[in-house]
Amino acid sequence: MTDNEERLIELKDRVCRSIDETREKLHRLSQDIWSCPELAYQETEAHDRLVAFFTHEHGWTVDSHFKLETAFRATWRTGGDSEGTMNVGFLCEYDALPGIGHACGHNLIAEVGAAAAVGLKAALEGAQEGVPVQVTVLGTPAEEDVGGKIDLLKEGAFKGIDVVFMAHPSKEDATYLPCVAEHDVTIKYHGKTTHASSYPWRGVNALDAAVLCYNNLSVLRQQMRPDWRVHGIIKHGGLKPNIIPDYTELEYYLRTPTRAELPVLKEKAERCFRSAAVATGCTVEVEYARNQLDNILRVAELERLFERNGKTLGMDFTTDEDVLRNESGSTDFGNVTFAVPGIHPYFYIGSNALNHTPEYTVAAGDEKAQFFTLRTAKALAMTALDLLLQPEAMQRVMQEFTEVKLKDDKMSNGV
């Protein structure tokens, strides 16, 4: 074993000890966020709690409202010239879901990010020979709605970060689960109201347009690729049965495995939206959400390193092909991975409850989740150490990132 390998093992041990020593503070942090669920861009209590956590941790420089009102940045760096210093990023999420609170476990995501950053800093502070590094923690609001990370990307918040880490609670350990590209769209039909019984011929029925739109999309599914998804609701269908509706509104999510495919599906869906207006004589507004979610750009080298570290800590990574193929949520972390190489593994929290259910809310607040959460934080920080102390590993990450990004560019441009 080389001196560098021995040093790496020693630093990884320090990471684990430091996180264990901080576990009570980390648990309180998670519980405080869990007990006060807040929706996208309204996460003032969670934001303030995280800012206070890093403010009171020695050595961190905290920008309380970084780029966005409920975002923050905490940084720590070793001394010396910034040239050649690797900037390692950890992300915290902390928004909740309407009605069911932290049913996606974002309180645990915040805890993982904080724990991994604190553990990495503590290990490197105690190193006999300094490792040039900046540790950056970004608080990223609004993942469940408008995509706060995308807003932060537009504001340049990820500039200078070399690699980025976060982890998401689930019902299994996995280095990756499919996260697909997605865009929200709202369709509004405008007609003309009149009495539905006395003189319906004078009206233009916006509900007919909404129903045709819904049916058009249902018929389209026969010609859709098996891994595309279109799902939606009629949000507003009229006021009373005896009034021809002059306004209806639908909301749809359009999803494809890659962002390169999404424009193709959007074009097909728009023909369904607009043809319903033509058939009924209505006018139509098609409004896409300001942010499109991209699929995650995978870097296999990062996944390999994380899995190796996780296994040394006892993580049992799923081999169930149905799980590894069929999970199909979406996240704004995908957009980040097209700007910075990153990893978004999933971790078991001691429950088989499904995400986005009241049962998962309970599980995310259960003390049983703490062991699994902190174990994941250790694995992330250990993976960061692999990159810091093994330049050849970071070179492989950057080379692979460049290659997969080039491949995506070719797909997007139809090359």
Side-chain angles (χ1 to χ4, degrees), residues 81-98:
D81 194 341
S82 61
E83 186 175 349
T85 297
M86 187 186 300
N87 189 342
V88 178
F90 296 97
L91 305 189
C92 296
E93 294 177 0
Y94 35 89
D95 62 322
L97 289 159

Side-chain angles (χ1 to χ4, degrees), residues 5-65:
E5 289 171 336
E6 290 181 355
R7 186 183 184 206
L8 183 56
I9 291 172
E10 179 186 352
L11 289 176
K12 288 182 178 181
D13 287 341
R14 288 182 185 175
V15 161
C16 295
R17 289 198 303 271
S18 173
I19 290 175
D20 285 338
E21 289 166 2
T22 317
R23 64 182 181 274
E24 290 185 9
K25 286 197 291 185
L26 292 164
H27 188 198
R28 287 198 299 271
L29 173 68
S30 177
Q31 282 293 298
D32 288 348
I33 296 172
W34 179 84
S35 62
C36 184
E38 299 163 299
L39 301 183
Y41 281 139
Q42 301 173 37
E43 319 96 325
T44 55
E45 294 292 333
H47 164 272
D48 292 352
R49 182 65 176 84
L50 281 156
V51 166
F53 176 87
F54 282 101
T55 299
H56 292 117
E57 286 287 310
H58 174 73
W60 292 93
T61 300
V62 181
D63 189 335
S64 299
H65 302 284

Side-chain angles (χ1 to χ4, degrees), residues 103-124:
C104 206
H106 286 196
N107 60 303
L108 302 179
I109 295 176
E111 183 180 4
V112 165
V118 167
L120 182 60
K121 171 181 174 289
L124 294 175

Side-chain angles (χ1 to χ4, degrees), residues 342-356:
I343 187 172
H344 182 276
Y346 289 79
F347 62 98
Y348 176 68
I349 65 169
S351 171
N352 290 322
L354 298 174
N355 288 68
H356 288 218

Side-chain angles (χ1 to χ4, degrees), residues 72-283:
F72 72 89
R73 181 178 68 177
T75 57
W76 171 83
R77 62 175 297 127
T78 54
D81 194 341
S82 61
E83 186 175 349
T85 297
M86 187 186 300
N87 189 342
V88 178
F90 296 97
L91 305 189
C92 296
E93 294 177 0
Y94 35 89
D95 62 322
L97 289 159
I100 52 177
H102 279 289
C104 206
H106 286 196
N107 60 303
L108 302 179
I109 295 176
E111 183 180 4
V112 165
V118 167
L120 182 60
K121 171 181 174 289
L124 294 175
E125 275 182 322
Q128 290 181 352
E129 297 178 18
V131 178
V133 63
Q134 176 169 313
V135 180
T136 298
V137 182
L138 288 180
T140 61
E143 191 274 341
E144 292 290 0
D145 193 359
V146 295
K149 295 182 193 64
I150 305 170
D151 290 338
L152 285 168
L153 277 166
K154 292 174 181 177
E155 293 293 327
F158 289 86
K159 186 177 180 180
I161 296 178
D162 294 298
V163 61
V164 67
F165 298 90
M166 68 167 283
H168 197 295
S170 186
K171 61 182 187 301
E172 60 270 306
D173 291 319
T175 57
Y176 170 81
L177 294 176
C179 283
V180 300
E182 187 271 339
H183 210 172
D184 301 4
V185 59
T186 299
I187 310 100
K188 301 177 180 179
Y189 292 105
H190 299 274
K192 181 180 178 183
T193 189
T194 187
H195 197 289
S197 178
S198 298
Y199 27 82
W201 57 89
R202 294 185 179 178
V204 178
N205 196 320
L207 180 57
D208 287 346
V211 171
L212 283 175
C213 171
Y214 190 94
N215 288 333
N216 286 348
L217 288 163
S218 296
V219 171
L220 174 65
R221 287 191 177 92
Q222 184 181 2
Q223 277 73 46
M224 280 170 36
R225 295 182 63 90
D227 49 8
W228 289 1
R229 296 290 182 269
V230 173
H231 45 96
I233 58 170
I234 298 178
K235 294 180 69 175
H236 184 79
L239 299 174
K240 282 175 67 68
N242 62 350
I243 302 172
I244 296 286
D246 65 348
Y247 175 78
T248 53
E249 181 178 324
L250 304 93
E251 183 177 7
Y252 270 87
Y253 292 176
L254 310 179
R255 302 184 197 254
T256 56
T258 66
R259 66 178 189 172
E261 298 168 77
L262 197 51
V264 181
L265 176 57
K266 288 167 70 173
E267 182 181 355
K268 292 177 181 291
E270 281 201 37
R271 288 199 289 265
C272 294
F273 305 155
R274 298 188 186 283
S275 62
V278 172
T280 57
C282 292
T283 59

